[in-house]
Structure formats: structure tokens, C-alpha cells
């Protein structure tokens, strides 16, 4: 039989800010930059939806441009690899 979890409680600051308890952030995978979407139903019950923002605008983009190699190589897009003026050797 699992122990009943006590509700998490935080205080609203004079600027309207609250801190999400660490245990809830970990449990719900909330990280810096994520957004919270607040919903109040007709009975006045509040629910909060976590909107993860950490992956950027191209999260669902499955089109990948292969650069060849092991993805560690640098690539000279300007075409100066063979020009000794642009080498990194001193």
C-alpha cells in the first residue's frame, strides 16, 4: 500500500511569483525555459499544463542535411580549404 502524498504548497510573492517545488519539477520534467499554461474551469478549479520549450522551433523537423564525416568535421562552405591564406596552421 503506497503512502498518501502530501500536497505541495508554495507562497505567492508580492510580485505574483511562485516557486515550483523541486520534487514537482523533477517529477514533471520541468526545466528552465519551459512554460506553464494555466486553466480555470467553471467550478474555479485550477489546472496547469507544462509546455516544454527546450528543443526550439525545429523540434519536429525530420529533414536532416548530411554534412558527411562523423559530424565533428568542420566544413569549408566558402571553398577556401585549399587556399593557404585560409589555413589554420601558423
Amino acid at each position: 500500500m503506497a503512502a498518501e502524498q502530501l500536497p505541495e504548497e508554495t507562497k505567492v510573492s508580492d510580485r505574483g511569483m511562485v516557486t515550483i517545488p523541486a520534487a514537482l519539477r523533477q517529477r514533471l520534467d520541468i526545466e528552465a525555459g519551459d512554460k506553464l499554461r494555466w486553466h480555470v474551469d467553471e467550478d474555479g478549479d485550477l489546472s496547469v499544463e507544462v509546455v516544454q520549450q527546450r528543443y526550439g522551433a525545429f523540434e519536429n523537423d525530420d529533414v536532416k542535411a548530411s554534412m558527411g564525416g562523423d559530424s565533428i568535421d568542420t566544413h569549408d562552405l566558402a571553398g577556401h580549404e585549399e587556399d593557404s591564406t585560409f589555413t589554420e596552421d601558423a
Side-chain angles (χ1 to χ4, degrees), residues 17-84:
M17 300 170 72
V18 296
T19 299
I20 303 168
L24 282 177
R25 290 192 316 267
Q26 292 170 355
R27 181 177 173 192
L28 299 174
D29 193 27
I30 299 172
E31 294 183 2
D34 290 347
K35 295 182 180 182
L36 301 178
R37 190 169 292 151
W38 306 85
H39 303 275
V40 179
D41 67 16
E42 294 159 359
D43 296 327
D45 292 326
L46 173 67
S47 64
V48 181
E49 175 186 2
V50 178
V51 181
Q52 295 179 335
Q53 296 291 312
R54 62 193 90 142
Y55 301 112
F58 301 105
E59 173 185 4
N60 296 325
D61 182 13
D62 59 353
V63 178
K64 306 292 183 225
S66 173
M67 294 297 285
D70 59 4
S71 300
I72 298 174
D73 298 335
T74 58
H75 296 276
D76 179 17
L77 299 178
H80 298 294
E81 284 179 345
E82 302 301 322
D83 190 334
S84 62

